[in-house]
Amino acid sequence: MSRAALERALYDLVHNSPGVSAQDIADWLGKPRDTLYKEVDPRNRMAKAGAVDVVTATQYTANWVFLNAFAAEVGAVVVPMPGGAAAGTGHAHIAELAKQFAELVAKVSSSLADDDITENELHDCQREAGELIAAVQAALAFIQAMRARKADSLERRAYALRELS
């Protein structure tokens, strides 16, 4: 992958997103279409789209062409969350749990690599474990709140049915 490939992916995001025109994207970003064209033109070395605009355009178009090109460039893979992972959703909590677990495993593995755990490595492992525990607690709080909302809804329905009887 190269700079040219990333620039082409950015161009494709704006010009080849199914069902969304470049004008639609420009309007969504709140900028003139000609400005957006300049920002994604691989030949233009002066104007380039900013990271926030690229993320916003990707979300708006649901076109992952640039995201996948970026991931390939850094040796990563994009894995979509079922139904998206918007903040405050169960899927977002699952994603955070996976991330925190992976970070803990990476820290412990690198600490064990030389068969000697330094004081700093111990503290780093403890910090990562704490972040994982915090993510678990946040996920459990979300699940409990979801269950409480469901129980409240069922209780209101039962009350309404009793009132009708």
Side-chain angles (χ1 to χ4, degrees):
M1 188 72 37
S2 66
R3 177 184 179 129
L6 289 171
E7 289 173 338
R8 179 60 198 198
L10 184 57
Y11 178 90
D12 287 343
L13 172 64
V14 171
H15 291 283
N16 298 317
S17 288
V20 183
S21 71
Q23 182 65 58
D24 293 336
I25 297 168
D27 291 344
W28 187 257
L29 295 173
K31 61 176 61 185
R33 186 188 66 191
D34 290 343
T35 299
L36 181 60
Y37 278 3
K38 288 176 189 171
E39 291 176 348
V40 301
D41 183 347
R43 298 165 298 181
N44 184 337
R45 296 289 179 218
M46 301 302 290
K48 289 295 171 197
V52 172
D53 285 347
V54 174
V55 169
T56 302
T58 299
Q59 290 171 327
Y60 179 68
T61 62
N63 182 346
W64 291 18
V65 64
F66 185 83
L67 181 60
N68 285 321
F70 178 82
E73 184 68 22
V74 298
V77 175
V78 177
V79 179
M81 294 302 294
T89 67
H91 295 303
H93 286 287
I94 292 168
E96 183 64 18
L97 286 169
K99 175 182 168 268
Q100 293 301 332
F101 181 72
E103 289 175 359
L104 175 60
V105 169
K107 182 55 66 182
V108 170
S109 295
S110 68
S111 297
L112 294 173
D114 60 0
D115 289 328
D116 182 41
I117 304 292
T118 67
E119 193 67 27
N120 284 342
E121 289 172 327
L122 174 61
H123 289 296
D124 289 347
C125 290
Q126 290 169 332
R127 186 191 73 249
E128 291 296 343
E131 290 176 7
L132 175 59
I133 291 167
V136 168
Q137 290 172 334
L140 288 173
F142 175 83
I143 292 166
Q144 289 167 341
M146 180 182 273
R147 178 65 190 127
R149 284 191 303 275
K150 177 73 172 183
D152 288 346
S153 174
L154 291 173
E155 190 175 310
R156 282 193 298 275
R157 276 193 218 140
Y159 177 79
L161 289 173
R162 282 194 304 271
E163 291 296 311
L164 290 174
S165 309

